[in-house]
Amino acid sequence: MNTPSLLASTALSRRHCLKWGGLLAGTSTWPAAGLAAEANVRRPARACILVYLLGGPPHLDMFDLKPEAPVEVRGPFSPISTSVPDLQICEHLPKLAARAHRFALLRAVSHPNAHHTPMIYYTLTGRHVDQPEIDNDISPPRRTDFPNIGSIIAKRKPAPSGLPGCLAVPELGIRSNEDNIRAADPLRGGRGGFLGQAYDPFILNGDPRMAKSLPEVVLPEDVDRLRFDRRLALLSTINSRHPAGSRSSPFDLLQSTAVRLTGSPTDERLYSVDREPDRVRDRYGRHRFGQSLLLARRFVEAGVPFVSIYFNHMTRCDGWDTHGKNFEGCEQELLPIVDQGLSGLMDDLTERGLFDDVLVACYGEFGRTPKINKDAGRDHWGHCSSTWLCGGGIRGGAVFGESDALAAYPKANKVDPIDVHATLFHRLGLDPGTEIVDALSRPHAISQGRVIDAIL
């Protein structure tokens, strides 16, 4: 059932109302005026976790079911009621259904392109490749690329000393699964682009369930705790010989980050999810996806402003590129682990007092076709998809946008992926019009989109 936002029928958004409320507060003795002014200055979120469902998730089988559509469109899944009146989602997302009052849905995200790599680049940078209808290849990242949204956030919201500005778990790369291991070549859209190497994400490509599979942060076997401490002491002695204030190079920053991530005793090894209680690990799910989300929580809690979870190496089916056996893959693997992982993350952030400080967004490069193909799959579809958001000032229970009877095209309140970016930046305290400059000193707005006021 489609549920347009309560604000969809009015031109006055919640943000505009708060703005006027703040102006009135300066001249009115009405007690509520002060409350409006207080709401208008609520603090921005301090971190963001992006859950990127690489391959293109089927919106009709997740958050925008059409039970009245023809059988060749609606598929075998049934909608179930949620904690929000009149809002229904897929029966295989029961944990999320019970928490619908805490997240928002965008049901009319649309962009007229259905090629993987151009849309990956677009949904992660907000800019087009040179020829978006033609350049559907696996070119490696370039220093002339527009930066990933996480790299922009890392530049504008620096991490505490010794922590990376942004983290990728794993790196954005050619999609693989447990039954079809492809070369882990990186794709355009996942790095710092013209901002430079300093704003590339810190990459953890291993399985977070096993510390030894994360060679980027695990000490070599021949370096025990004592030897590591001796190395730190020697490094401190050498550094003390430098004039005060001279040690601020990118190399020094990288060095301090390496020290902190590979075992600083005060940080309890941030990458070590095995230090979490069993009940917490079980809540997320012991699958790679759930433990990646748990790892993301550990890093944002420590102060990292942006963490990307790219859905890769997570399942036996081919991720979310469900051209064949869509319903089998969704029912047996994809939907259950997303249901458990996202609901576990919401509960954990809430228990730790982080829910209002950490913004979480979940989407892929596009949606999938309304019509089911001959292989019981759905193909690429850019004209309509759904985006899921929670925490960080997002209005729980909000549903903005409505698709048509087949979930093929937007019917009301269409938004573009760049509007999602603008909204993320806004909630992180960054004006979407904030400028960054490329290698030729040309200014660029960090986002060309519009803030989606209706979910704030």
Side-chain angles (χ1 to χ4, degrees), residues 266-449:
T266 60
D267 294 311
E268 296 185 325
R269 285 186 282 184
L270 290 173
Y271 61 85
S272 297
V273 296
D274 58 358
R275 293 174 181 251
E276 295 285 340
D278 284 342
R279 67 172 186 83
V280 173
R281 296 192 67 185
D282 292 341
R283 166 188 284 168
Y284 282 86
R286 295 286 181 147
H287 37 75
R288 180 168 176 169
F289 178 71
Q291 299 304 291
S292 296
L293 290 173
L294 175 54
L295 182 66
R297 190 273 290 162
R298 289 177 64 85
F299 274 96
V300 296
E301 187 172 27
V304 175
F306 192 91
V307 179
S308 298
I309 306 295
Y310 294 112
F311 200 98
N312 205 350
H313 308 283
M314 302 287 185
T315 53
R316 295 188 62 187
C317 64
D318 193 14
W320 296 90
D321 198 23
T322 52
H323 292 283
K325 299 182 179 180
N326 171 75
F327 305 103
E328 178 181 323
C330 282
E331 182 175 358
Q332 295 181 6
E333 288 189 303
L334 297 169
L335 298 184
I337 66 175
V338 164
D339 187 47
Q340 183 176 24
L342 291 181
S343 61
L345 177 61
M346 293 172 69
D347 290 351
D348 200 17
L349 290 174
T350 300
E351 284 189 7
R352 302 182 78 85
L354 298 170
F355 190 77
D356 292 333
D357 292 323
V358 179
L359 178 60
V360 185
C362 179
Y363 61 86
E365 58 263 46
F366 39 60
R368 304 202 77 83
T369 51
K371 188 174 181 179
I372 301 167
N373 65 28
K374 62 180 179 57
D375 298 315
R378 298 188 190 271
D379 301 316
H380 304 173
W381 191 253
H383 297 290
C384 196
S385 65
S386 297
T387 290
W388 181 98
L389 304 106
C390 80
I394 296 296
R395 185 162 61 89
V399 179
F400 186 71
E402 181 181 358
S403 62
D404 63 17
L406 303 181
Y409 297 94
K411 181 179 178 181
N413 299 311
K414 179 177 76 171
V415 299
D416 191 276
I418 61 175
D419 300 327
V420 177
H421 298 170
T423 305
L424 298 182
F425 286 135
H426 169 71
R427 279 307 308 138
L428 287 160
L430 301 176
D431 187 326
T434 301
E435 291 185 344
I436 52 177
V437 296
D438 62 20
L440 299 178
S441 298
R442 296 175 297 188
H444 304 268
I446 60 175
S447 175
Q448 297 176 329

Side-chain angles (χ1 to χ4, degrees), residues 204-218 271 295:
L204 293 177
N205 277 331
D207 188 336
R209 293 174 294 183
M210 299 172 287
K212 290 185 178 180
S213 71
L214 298 172
E216 300 89 352
V217 289
V218 176
Y271 61 85
L295 182 66

Side-chain angles (χ1 to χ4, degrees), residues 99-123:
R99 295 161 176 80
H101 58 287
R102 297 168 60 197
F103 63 77
L105 288 176
L106 304 175
R107 278 180 163 171
V109 182
S110 178
H111 194 77
N113 193 314
H115 297 307
H116 281 299
T117 52
M119 284 303 291
I120 289 171
Y121 187 83
Y122 184 70
T123 54

